[in-house]
């Protein structure tokens, strides 16, 4: 895959196969909204491990995410909220990625303008992975240079 192909956001067909999960990282009185973006691996006839990895890299590039072993870049107001619904503007000129219904606490943080840490894992992660498997996968992906991240916040409406 050439670097110029990374500049084109993936289409809605690929993004529909991506999994997104929200959570809150708490440390003392500090709370940071988090958005984890993964892919379960090839599931459609036209998908291969290479096309999935390419799509995830294109998504990371479109979001302007940085490597997980550096400070996360601020990527601008990419989250959009309206009446309890959330979407992520991933740079496509016609489509956004809908985010599954987040908790009220997560939504409350994002709605008041709090930062949200986006973490994208390039290596596939099974949809059935439990918390320990997900944690181990994220750590391994960080060690292998397959974790990208950035800091975003919400626009008021979409």
């Amino acid at each position: 895959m050439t670097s110029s192909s990374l500049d084109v956001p993936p289409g809605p067909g690929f993004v529909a196969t991506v999994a997104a999960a929200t959570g809150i990282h708490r440390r003392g009185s500090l709370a940071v909204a988090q958005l984890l973006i993964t892919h379960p691996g090839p599931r459609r006839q036209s998908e291969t491990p290479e096309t999935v990895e390419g799509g995830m890299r294109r998504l990371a590039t479109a979001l302007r995410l940085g490597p997980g072993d550096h400070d996360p870049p601020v990527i601008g107001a990419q989250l959009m909220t309206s009446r309890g619904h959330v979407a992520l503007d991933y740079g496509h000129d016609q489509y956004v990625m809908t985010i599954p219904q987040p908790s009220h606490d997560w939504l409350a943080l994002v709605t008041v303008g709090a930062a949200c840490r986006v973490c994208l894992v390039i290596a596939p992660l099974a949809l059935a992975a439990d918390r320990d498997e997900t944690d181990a996968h994220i750590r391994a992906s960080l060690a292998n240079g397959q974790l990208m991240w950035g800091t975003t916040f919400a626009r008021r409406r979409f």
Side-chain angles (χ1 to χ4, degrees):
M1 182 165 286
T2 64
S3 62
S4 62
S5 65
L6 285 176
D7 295 337
V8 179
F14 177 80
V15 172
T17 66
V18 171
T22 59
I24 299 175
H25 176 76
R26 298 183 192 278
R27 182 172 290 171
S29 63
L30 177 67
V32 177
Q34 296 183 319
L35 175 61
L36 175 64
I37 301 173
T38 62
H39 195 287
R43 294 187 301 171
R44 299 184 301 180
Q45 187 173 353
S46 63
E47 288 181 324
T48 65
E50 293 78 20
T51 63
V52 168
E53 180 177 329
M56 293 302 280
R57 289 190 185 281
R58 287 173 51 206
L59 184 55
T61 299
L63 286 166
R64 299 179 316 280
L65 302 177
D69 61 351
H70 290 75
D71 288 340
V74 175
I75 62 171
Q78 302 305 106
L79 289 173
M80 300 173 290
T81 64
S82 178
R83 293 177 257 169
H85 298 283
V86 182
L88 178 68
D89 180 348
Y90 68 95
H92 195 282
D93 60 354
Q94 294 178 319
Y95 300 98
V96 295
M97 179 191 310
T98 56
I99 306 302
Q101 188 61 43
S103 71
H104 292 295
D105 292 346
W106 188 92
L107 190 56
L109 278 174
V110 168
T111 301
V112 298
C116 176
R117 187 69 36 83
V118 177
C119 178
L120 183 144
V121 180
I122 293 168
L125 175 65
L127 291 174
D130 64 21
R131 176 178 251 165
D132 291 337
E133 292 167 327
T134 300
D135 184 59
H137 184 73
I138 289 171
R139 291 176 190 279
S141 294
L142 176 60
N144 294 328
Q146 293 189 311
L147 185 135
M148 307 295 286
W149 67 342
T151 302
T152 189
F153 47 93
R155 300 175 191 168
R156 289 292 178 217
R157 311 186 99 200
F158 67 93

